[in-house]
Amino acid sequence: MRAMWKGSVSFGLVTIPIQLYAATENKNVSLRQVHEADGGRIQYKRVCTIDGEEVPYAEIAKGYELEDGEMVVITDEDLAELPLSTSKLIDVLEFVPLESIDPIQFDKTYYLEPQKTATKPYVLLRDALHKSGHVAVAKVAIRQRESLAILRVVSDVLVMTTILWPDEVRTPDFGFLREEAPQVRAQELTMAGSLIDSMSEPVFEPDKYTDTYREALEAMIEAKAQGGSTKKTAKPGAKAEVVDLMSALQASVSEAKKTRKPAATTRKKPAEKKAPARRPSKSA
């Protein structure tokens, strides 16, 4: 695992430098969008809806659309100026029983690893938290978004789970809730209870369940590969190769102009003549 974030846990007057790791990973089989006829990959371009031109990633900003359709453009510089008190800090606010937090609020989970100089305060918080039977409620900012989070102990490691803000949990609004509830007979309720009892286990053991769909999909892919049911994707046409080559050459020429020495070879002159001819279309 690679650390995705470095910061500190603020626990009263104690500061514990930590590293953050994603605790979960998606095991879905990754499928690409391809052309059914020849297996060629489908490509998407970032195109501006106003001028129809492809937009380089470096020129893409964020925007908030108003009700009248006007767009408020927000740059990275704008976001950097916003006050974010919990930047690089997991600020512990209080301690509560885990049962008091509904799982519907759980979002993403991360492992916390102590940095080399912080093992002792890390173990102190871990053991005290485990002994208390409570979880710590904290605030944290990850990727320019502040969230509530809980800290708890799992397998001798501090685990942080971000939780949704109260207004991010939708209120169920279904018609049957406003109607008179149907009468459930006592015998039916007893029978349903008996069914629950017969299917109950003392603890949840996730290892006894498997993703049968993913297993079947992987088996199908393996069978197709072994049976020769594959398509050899042809290389892009000459036109696409020329466009990519020109882009690479133009970037190389620009870089060479910055670092070249006064003495130039005879091959540089044609490149200098071609580069200006390409600039208008590039900046358009």
Side-chain angles (χ1 to χ4, degrees):
M1 295 189 293
R2 293 184 179 180
M4 56 171 291
W5 188 87
K6 289 184 179 182
S8 299
V9 176
S10 176
F11 170 46
L13 297 178
V14 178
T15 300
I16 309 171
I18 55 91
Q19 298 181 144
L20 200 70
Y21 299 82
T24 60
E25 59 181 332
N26 193 318
K27 288 289 188 177
N28 287 343
V29 178
S30 180
L31 300 177
R32 299 183 180 274
Q33 289 189 323
V34 299
H35 186 195
E36 184 178 0
D38 54 22
R41 297 179 183 178
I42 303 300
Q43 294 182 341
Y44 295 91
K45 294 182 178 181
R46 298 178 293 269
V47 179
C48 177
T49 57
I50 296 178
D51 58 22
E53 295 292 328
E54 186 173 359
V55 182
Y57 186 79
E59 297 180 12
I60 295 179
K62 296 178 175 62
Y64 182 85
E65 187 172 2
L66 303 177
E67 293 182 358
D68 59 3
E70 291 291 317
M71 192 70 67
V72 178
V73 178
I74 302 173
T75 65
D76 291 339
E77 291 75 15
D78 295 329
L79 293 174
E81 293 178 359
L82 294 177
L84 201 58
S85 60
T86 53
S87 179
K88 299 299 181 183
L89 183 69
I90 302 172
D91 187 16
V92 175
L93 306 174
E94 62 180 355
F95 297 89
V96 301
L98 178 60
E99 296 77 16
S100 65
I101 303 174
D102 194 296
I104 198 173
Q105 291 185 259
F106 294 168
D107 190 14
K108 296 181 180 179
T109 302
Y110 306 89
Y111 290 130
L112 273 60
E113 178 193 31
Q115 296 186 24
K116 292 182 178 180
T117 59
T119 303
K120 184 174 181 179
Y122 179 96
V123 171
L124 172 63
L125 175 59
R126 180 199 68 186
D127 293 352
L129 196 59
H130 181 69
K131 184 177 180 180
S132 72
H134 283 49
V135 298
V137 177
K139 266 189 177 183
V140 62
I142 300 177
R143 297 192 180 95
Q144 290 292 328
R145 186 182 189 277
E146 191 170 60
S147 300
L148 285 174
I150 60 170
L151 298 180
R152 58 194 180 98
V153 181
V154 177
S155 301
D156 291 335
V157 175
L158 284 175
V159 170
M160 182 182 78
T161 300
T162 55
I163 60 178
L164 303 174
W165 295 101
D167 59 356
E168 293 181 310
V169 178
R170 294 175 174 175
T171 301
D173 184 18
F174 304 118
F176 81 93
L177 294 174
R178 295 185 291 272
E179 299 172 356
E180 185 177 355
Q183 294 297 318
V184 177
R185 293 186 300 170
Q187 300 91 328
E188 295 171 331
L189 191 58
T190 300
M191 185 61 67
S194 298
L195 178 58
I196 292 175
D197 291 339
S198 66
M199 298 177 65
S200 295
E201 299 291 344
V203 294
F204 174 54
E205 299 178 9
D207 290 340
K208 67 183 181 182
Y209 301 101
T210 58
D211 186 347
T212 55
Y213 177 82
R214 173 161 59 96
E215 291 173 351
L217 179 57
E218 290 173 342
M220 181 188 68
I221 293 172
E222 180 66 20
K224 280 180 171 286
Q226 294 294 334
S229 299
T230 60
K231 295 183 183 292
K232 291 185 177 181
T233 55
K235 294 182 178 180
K239 184 176 180 181
E241 290 179 351
V242 170
V243 171
D244 293 340
L245 180 59
M246 285 299 298
S247 299
L249 288 174
Q250 286 178 335
S252 300
V253 170
S254 299
E255 187 65 25
K257 285 181 179 180
K258 298 177 183 178
T259 58
R260 69 178 180 179
K261 297 180 180 179
T265 63
T266 56
R267 288 188 178 182
K268 288 183 179 179
K269 291 182 179 180
E272 291 175 358
K273 292 179 180 179
K274 290 180 180 179
R278 299 288 298 177
R279 276 188 199 126
S281 60
K282 184 177 180 182
S283 60

